[in-house]
Amino acid sequence: MKNFQYQPKIGFSGISNVGTAGNIDAYTLTFSGGELDDTNKDDVNAQNKVKTALSIYTDSDYSNQLGANVIKSVAFAGVEKATGTAAGSAVGSGTVTIELDQTYLQGQGVSNGDTLYLRYSADAADDVLVDASSNDVDPFEVSFTAN
């Protein structure tokens, strides 16, 4: 008989606004199912790979893409699994925080309260966002409210 060990795959779980300062509007993307590998979080090339894999749109058909310069910066961090038995914490997680340029958004006619659409798409071979076992985060789409 073979032993089976469940190996969860990291995936997207949510987006939340984490504040506004100056002309920056920051959002955190949350992942679960595995600890996001952040060993290269200070590497500008790794940050740019994440930034390139993210696109912001003004329509739900994902046809009106905003320019890449709407995303001013990207930061990512893994969260180790918690010790103990807290639900949902047994496998670790991670976050990606993006800072959007409000001046650019306003210049594109985006107002406070408008719905924007984010798409993450990266080739698995590029290992853009992966967990500690090198499982890639699958492409995802999500809507959020501009602030």
Side-chain angles (χ1 to χ4, degrees):
M1 173 188 250
K2 289 186 177 183
N3 288 336
F4 174 76
Q5 182 175 3
Y6 175 63
Q7 294 293 330
K9 183 168 176 14
I10 189 165
F12 174 74
S13 62
I15 185 171
S16 58
N17 182 272
V18 291
T20 302
N23 71 332
I24 299 296
D25 198 11
Y27 295 85
T28 294
L29 308 171
T30 306
F31 300 87
S32 61
E35 182 182 348
L36 190 65
D37 180 359
D38 65 359
T39 54
N40 59 352
K41 67 182 179 187
D42 296 324
D43 181 342
V44 173
N45 289 330
Q47 294 168 6
N48 285 335
K49 283 173 70 172
V50 174
K51 190 175 172 181
T52 300
L54 296 168
S55 305
I56 309 289
Y57 298 80
T58 59
D59 64 313
S60 60
D61 293 332
Y62 291 86
S63 58
N64 188 19
Q65 183 176 349
L66 296 172
N69 54 334
V70 68
I71 301 174
K72 289 185 74 93
S73 70
V74 170
F76 54 98
V79 179
E80 291 182 23
K81 67 180 179 178
T83 54
T85 58
S89 66
V91 292
S93 61
T95 60
V96 173
T97 301
I98 59 173
E99 293 184 337
L100 303 184
D101 184 333
Q102 285 186 328
T103 303
Y104 176 85
L105 288 171
Q106 291 165 358
Q108 297 298 308
V110 176
S111 300
N112 183 17
D114 285 354
T115 301
L116 293 174
Y117 302 85
L118 179 141
R119 174 180 280 160
Y120 170 79
S121 182
D123 190 313
D126 292 338
D127 291 333
V128 177
L129 288 176
V130 297
D131 66 13
S133 300
S134 296
N135 295 312
D136 290 274
V137 171
D138 287 331
F140 62 87
E141 296 175 343
V142 63
S143 63
F144 63 98
T145 303
N147 289 320

